[in-house]
């Protein structure tokens, strides 16, 4: 155990418009074409958001605030391991607080060529529940985050259009190829030109109205990798907001593949969950 903890410490810290005139828009698009294609921009954004390092670990805390100001805390550890860069990967999320969700485990085997496999273990019911593909865009443990937000949306599920290039950001419109599996008509991402991290994402309904928004509040370099430390999801229809904060992220720690099996639902890998607490 001590050698494992020492190894982790040594490798410490990795662990995720318009208004322009037509001539101006044309100029922006021409500038964008001279730099990167929209596919290259989306690929870089996907990689820096979900594939930093070969694997990673982070403590995380969510604060859910409803329209009346009532607050609920969720605290957990998230582990990740890539099978292939920008390809299949695995996630394990183990909750520690509050007491009514302690021991809840969320396991994702993410695939790029088919639907992800997702399981949720509810200790109070001693129940392993498989999350269907149709449920991936539903609330993650009562928060404003969706299950799909945790492991990321496959870029191949959408078509991408570069709307604008500013001095600091790429503005990209993303349209689902199959609208039957999603609640949005399209979403627009503001992607930082330097880090390629999406800093804001707005989801639009069929009326063209924004009903859901993601904002990044804080980014830090961890082991030379730009890492989101604070973000929030706002549900503009219900008035609720969920704040997410990551602490002590670490990358390239050598998490073994057998951590990400169904065995970990009932028996979470304590040595990997507790290592960062030392």
């Amino acid at each position: 155990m001590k050698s494992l903890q020492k190894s982790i410490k040594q490798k410490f810290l990795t662990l995720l418009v318009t208004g322009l005139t037509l001539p101006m828009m044309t100029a922006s698009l021409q500038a964008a074409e001279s730099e990167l294609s929209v596919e290259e921009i989306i690929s870089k954004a996907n990689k820096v958001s979900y594939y930093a390092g070969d694997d990673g670990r982070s403590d995380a805390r969510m604060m859910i605030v409803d329209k009346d100001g009532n607050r609920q805390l969720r605290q957990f550890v998230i582990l990740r391991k890539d099978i292939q860069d920008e390809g299949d990967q695995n996630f394990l999320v183990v909750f520690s607080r509050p007491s009514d969700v302690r021991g809840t485990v969320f396991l994702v085997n993410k695939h790029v060529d088919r639907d992800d496999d997702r399981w949720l273990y509810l200790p109070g019911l001693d129940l392993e529940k498989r999350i269907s593909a149709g449920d991936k865009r539903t609330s993650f443990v009562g928060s404003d985050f969706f299950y799909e937000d945790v492991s990321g949306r496959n870029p191949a599920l959408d078509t991408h259009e570069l709307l604008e290039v500013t001095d600091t950001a790429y503005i990209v419109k993303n349209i689902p190829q199959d609208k039957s599996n999603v609640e949005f008509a399209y979403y627009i991402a503001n992607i930082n030109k330097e880090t390629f991290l999406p800093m804001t994402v707005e989801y639009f309904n069929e009326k063209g109205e924004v009903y859901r928004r993601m904002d990044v509040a804080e980014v830090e370099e961890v082991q030379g990798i730009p890492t989101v430390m604070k973000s929030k999801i706002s549900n503009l229809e219900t008035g609720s907001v969920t704040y997410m904060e990551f602490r002590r992220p670490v990358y390239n720690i050598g998490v073994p593949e057998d951590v990400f099996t169904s065995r970990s639902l009932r028996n979470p890998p304590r040595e990997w969950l507790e290592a960062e607490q030392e």
Side-chain angles (χ1 to χ4, degrees), residues 2 22 80 94 97 206 226 230 237 258:
K2 289 185 177 180
L22 180 59
R80 172 184 56 84
V94 181
R97 293 179 63 190
E206 292 292 348
K230 295 181 180 179
E237 294 180 324
D258 61 7

Side-chain angles (χ1 to χ4, degrees), residues 111-152:
H111 310 292
V112 297
D113 60 349
R114 63 185 188 277
D115 287 333
D116 299 343
D117 295 311
R118 294 181 171 90
W119 294 270
L120 186 67
Y121 175 65
L122 302 172
L125 301 174
D126 191 25
L127 174 67
E128 292 182 13
K129 177 184 178 182
R130 188 178 182 94
I131 308 298
S132 69
D135 289 333
K136 63 186 178 182
R137 293 196 60 79
T138 59
S139 172
F140 175 62
V141 292
S143 75
D144 294 296
F145 284 80
F146 291 164
Y147 287 101
E148 191 175 62
D149 295 325
V150 177
S151 54

Side-chain angles (χ1 to χ4, degrees), residues 153-185:
R153 179 172 174 79
N154 188 339
L157 296 176
D158 305 321
T159 58
H160 313 285
E161 177 185 357
L162 184 59
L163 296 180
E164 183 185 358
V165 179
T166 71
D167 290 340
T168 60
Y170 299 104
I171 313 299
V172 179
K173 181 178 182 180
N174 308 273
I175 304 171
Q177 299 195 40
D178 181 1
K179 292 187 176 181
S180 64
N181 290 325
V182 297
E183 84 290 354
F184 59 83

Side-chain angles (χ1 to χ4, degrees), residues 81 83 113-114 141 148 156 160 190 193 225 234 243 247:
K81 186 175 185 65
I83 306 302
D113 60 349
R114 63 185 188 277
V141 292
E148 191 175 62
H160 313 285
N190 180 315
K193 290 179 72 173
I225 299 172
S234 303
Y243 299 89
R247 297 185 298 172

Side-chain angles (χ1 to χ4, degrees), residues 15 37 40-41 82 89 154 199 208 231-232 240 261 266:
L15 248 150
S37 68
E40 289 173 322
I41 294 168
D82 300 344
Q89 59 181 178
N154 188 339
M199 301 304 288
S231 65
K232 70 175 182 180
S240 64
T261 65
R266 295 175 185 271

Side-chain angles (χ1 to χ4, degrees), residues 1-69:
M1 177 64 76
K2 289 185 177 180
S3 62
L4 175 60
Q5 294 167 350
K6 182 179 180 181
S7 175
I8 292 174
K9 286 182 177 179
Q10 289 174 336
K11 298 173 182 177
F12 187 71
L13 290 181
T14 296
L15 248 150
L16 229 235
V17 179
T18 61
L20 297 174
T21 61
L22 180 59
M24 290 177 67
M25 177 67 82
T26 303
S28 293
L29 292 175
Q30 288 174 341
E33 290 170 357
S34 69
E35 300 172 3
L36 296 170
S37 68
V38 67
E39 289 78 16
E40 289 173 322
I41 294 168
I42 291 298
S43 175
K44 287 178 177 291
N46 184 48
K47 184 172 182 176
V48 74
S49 297
Y50 293 101
Y51 292 89
D54 295 329
D55 60 25
R57 177 198 180 282
S58 182
D59 297 311
R61 176 180 293 178
M62 289 194 307
M63 183 63 72
I64 307 164
V65 184
D66 69 17
K67 63 180 179 57
D68 296 320

